[in-house]
Amino acid sequence: MTPRGERRYPTLLRVPQVADDVWLSQPEAARHLGVALFRIGALIACGHLAPAENSAGRAGVMITSVQAEKTWRDSATYRAKVLRLLKDTVGFL
C-alpha cells in the first residue's frame, strides 16, 4: 500500500499539476473542512473540489476550491444542503 503522502491520481484523469502554494493534500483538506478523508474523494467526484497534483506529483486539491467549499458550508441553508445531497446522490446513479 502506498503511504498517504505519496499517493497520485491515475494518469487517465489528467489532473493539472500546480505550484505547492496553491495546493493542499487530501488529508490537509479534510482537516481544514472538518470531514473524514473519504469525504474528500466524494467531494472531488461530485465536482465540489478541484483535484490537482503538486510539483512532486502528489494527489491533492486546489486551495481555492477548499476555501469555496468552506465558505459554502458556513453560509448554506439547511434546504440548500439537502438539495445538494439529493443532486449528488442522483449524479452517482
Side-chain angles (χ1 to χ4, degrees), residues 31-49:
R31 280 191 296 276
H32 187 72
L33 293 173
V35 298
L37 183 59
F38 74 91
R39 185 73 179 118
I40 297 298
L43 289 169
I44 292 170
C46 293
H48 303 301
L49 292 179

Side-chain angles (χ1 to χ4, degrees), residues 6-7 13 19 47 89:
E6 297 176 15
R7 291 188 180 154
L13 290 181
T89 302

Side-chain angles (χ1 to χ4, degrees), residues 50-84:
E53 291 182 342
N54 68 354
S55 58
R58 291 178 46 213
V61 294
M62 300 286 289
I63 289 176
T64 54
S65 67
V66 173
Q67 291 169 340
E69 179 67 17
K70 178 78 171 154
T71 301
W72 186 86
R73 286 172 175 260
D74 291 342
S75 63
T77 63
Y78 180 74
R79 181 174 183 245
K81 291 177 181 179
V82 169
L83 288 174
R84 184 187 202 191

